[in-house]
Amino acid sequence: MKVSRLIITGTVALAVAGALNAMPAAADNVRPAEQSLRGLAQRHGLQIGTAVDMAALADTADPQYRATVASQFSTVTAENVMKWEVLEPTRGTYNWAPADELIAFAQRNRQSVRGHVLVWHNQLPGWLTAGVADGSISDTELRVILRDHITAVVKHFKGKIWQWDVVNEAVSDPWDSPPAIHYKGFWAQHLGDGYIADAFRWARAADAKALLFYNDYNIEVFGSGNAADDKTQFVYEMVKRLRETGVPIDGVGSQGHLGTQYGNYDTFQVSDALRRFTDLGLATAFTEVDVRSQMTAGVQAGDSNEINPRLQASAGNFGILLQACLSNRHCLSFTVWGFTDRHSWVPTWFTNPPEGLATLYDEAYQPKRALGIVKAELAFSGAPYVLPRIPQKPRR
Ligand code: G3I
């Protein structure tokens, strides 16, 4: 064999090996438990994803984090680095580097990217909130700032984002004050609820192809059906109106932050909720799934009587959300909000009482019962009730 041919053959072999490493497929001769999540999800056409903590991804002392993101998931979401405070810490000066790094990582590993998030009331830069508070930024100017931000960000990432969370958590919860469900937070307060339609139009003008999502928590199931006390119904009526008035919204993201201490749902309830949204012509996705538990003294002391039921309940809830997603052909992706208890927002956020144990792997990257359930659902679900996804075309 000539040297040049040897080099070409070697290069092709390496490229193939690289591609296989980058995108493991389900292999019939490997036990499902040993297959990757992304390989198992592939036959449903389902993208399986995780939020990515960029500090953990860069940590050379924690190589398993990076390896797991690459090997197990087919879509990634920036946990923080596409938020406004990170992207534009100083007015007019964009810091694209951390988000670009995630995009490059995703491209190397053949992963799609969910963009999170264009409009949210949290993690806004100080210059913006302070300017509004001291009156140096008027509401009229604020609307222009929002338009310019959405346009700049969506254009920067154009062609690289599969789904954008355009508007996040715009709707109140029944425990808020006043209790009647309403448009809440900074943006509604200053711009009225019209900012929601505006945001979708501005995002579409900047990227004709990305799927544009409304994203929220506590919308996994419908309640009373009365929008005054049922958040899911309120969101349903909102997105229905947006569709009817020609606003370019393509999907609803259901975050899926659950807790084992609450009354839980069953698959049929969650599946019904997805179906009502997709009957409007929308796609859906689970965008931030985790199932946390209270870390009682017994749990913290390692008491298996207290730990085991929590791990089982957590696993059961992961399974319910995933089954519901699989049941609906327009549920395009299932993303977990962190995959290891080593890097999860839960213990830092819920401290009184402390909560944790919310993810698929423990702090030492050992698979938990939840990982087994998720893999088994992906492995053993199929026709006639589970069929491959139907991709939605962006609405223009
Ligand atoms: O970046 C600073 C760092 O400079 C500083 O040293 C450090 C000290 O505390 O804080 C760092 O910022 C933290 C940031 O995460 C990055 O780690 C913030 O304090 C912390 O509040 C922030 O928490 C994030 C939270 O959103 C903020 O609202 C979580 O990581 C993130 O998981 C969480 O994600 C949200 C979704 O975007 C929307 N849905 C709910 C979900 C969970 O709250």
Side-chain angles (χ1 to χ4, degrees):
M1 194 184 284
K2 282 187 181 164
V3 174
S4 59
R5 196 160 155 211
L6 192 69
I7 291 169
I8 290 168
T9 315
T11 311
V12 170
L14 274 179
V16 170
L20 288 177
N21 272 337
M23 191 174 61
D28 288 342
N29 57 348
V30 181
R31 290 174 58 237
E34 310 305 328
Q35 291 178 32
S36 69
L37 287 170
R38 65 188 291 180
L40 289 166
Q42 209 170 34
R43 75 190 173 93
H44 305 289
L46 178 71
Q47 304 277 305
I48 189 136
T50 183
V52 177
D53 170 346
M54 291 309 287
L57 196 74
D59 186 356
T60 49
D62 188 4
Q64 225 162 328
Y65 185 88
R66 197 179 178 86
T68 309
V69 177
S71 63
Q72 298 299 316
F73 299 98
S74 47
T75 177
V76 289
T77 307
E79 185 172 359
N80 286 299
V81 297
M82 287 190 193
K83 292 173 180 171
W84 200 329
E85 71 172 4
V86 179
L87 285 183
E88 199 185 1
T90 310
R91 188 168 181 178
T93 307
Y94 279 90
N95 164 37
W96 303 114
D100 284 349
E101 215 173 285
L102 179 64
I103 302 257
F105 178 90
Q107 288 174 343
R108 280 197 302 280
N109 292 289
R110 301 183 182 217
Q111 293 163 318
S112 58
V113 181
R114 295 196 80 262
H116 178 84
V117 50
L118 296 174
V119 195
W120 191 27
H121 52 266
N122 273 347
Q123 290 175 283
L124 292 170
W127 61 263
L128 181 70
T129 48
V132 169
D134 70 17
S136 60
I137 295 175
S138 68
D139 288 350
T140 311
E141 191 183 357
L142 182 65
R143 188 168 179 274
V144 174
I145 291 173
L146 179 62
R147 184 198 64 198
D148 291 351
H149 176 78
I150 291 176
T151 306
V153 173
V154 176
K155 278 198 170 155
H156 177 82
F157 296 112
K158 189 175 175 178
K160 297 170 183 166
I161 299 289
W162 176 37
Q163 305 174 4
W164 264 115
D165 288 335
V166 177
V167 176
N168 193 44
E169 300 172 10
V171 174
S172 70
D173 292 282
W175 56 81
D176 287 333
S177 175
I181 309 291
H182 56 277
Y183 292 104
K184 71 172 184 193
F186 180 84
W187 296 104
Q189 232 168 309
H190 292 282
L191 304 182
D193 62 332
Y195 83 89
I196 298 174
D198 288 340
F200 281 96
R201 291 199 181 97
W202 293 328
R204 174 59 74 236
D207 184 341
K209 290 199 177 146
L211 295 177
L212 305 182
F213 274 66
Y214 175 75
N215 191 49
D216 215 330
Y217 59 89
N218 282 346
I219 57 166
E220 294 84 13
V221 300
F222 282 86
S224 69
N226 175 357
D229 59 30
D230 178 351
K231 181 176 180 178
T232 312
Q233 182 68 26
F234 189 100
V235 168
Y236 174 81
E237 289 174 15
M238 174 187 83
V239 296
K240 185 165 184 282
R241 240 180 350 259
L242 292 172
R243 289 290 284 187
E244 285 166 356
T245 51
V247 174
I249 175 171
D250 302 303
V252 171
S254 181
Q255 295 184 0
H257 292 294
L258 302 184
T260 60
Q261 68 272 38
Y262 303 119
N264 299 138
Y265 312 126
D266 70 45
T267 302
F268 295 115
Q269 290 174 292
V270 182
S271 172
D272 281 350
L274 294 182
R275 204 196 54 245
R276 286 197 57 195
F277 284 116
T278 60
D279 281 353
L280 296 174
L282 294 161
T284 58
F286 282 104
T287 54
E288 306 185 11
V289 181
D290 54 16
V291 190
R292 61 187 187 273
S293 288
Q294 292 193 352
M295 304 292 283
T296 59
V299 170
Q300 293 186 48
D303 180 352
S304 59
N305 285 314
E306 295 210 19
I307 293 174
N308 287 337
R310 287 173 169 77
L311 294 180
Q312 292 290 359
S314 180
N317 281 297
F318 271 100
I320 285 164
L321 297 188
L322 179 58
Q323 281 176 345
C325 183
L326 287 170
S327 77
N328 188 308
R329 302 191 72 189
H330 304 294
C331 181
L332 303 180
S333 55
F334 185 90
T335 290
V336 296
W337 206 243
F339 57 89
T340 165
D341 292 341
R342 192 184 186 96
H343 301 286
S344 162
W345 70 292
V346 168
T348 42
W349 203 262
F350 300 95
T351 50
N352 187 22
E355 297 185 41
L357 301 178
T359 72
L360 300 174
Y361 296 82
D362 73 11
E363 290 186 14
Y365 296 98
Q366 290 308 300
K368 289 159 61 178
R369 191 62 68 223
L371 182 70
I373 293 265
V374 165
K375 283 190 172 183
E377 287 300 341
L378 293 171
F380 304 130
S381 301
Y385 296 117
V386 175
L387 296 169
R389 314 302 77 200
I390 300 176
Q392 298 281 32
K393 282 202 186 119
R395 183 162 186 186
R396 298 197 180 83

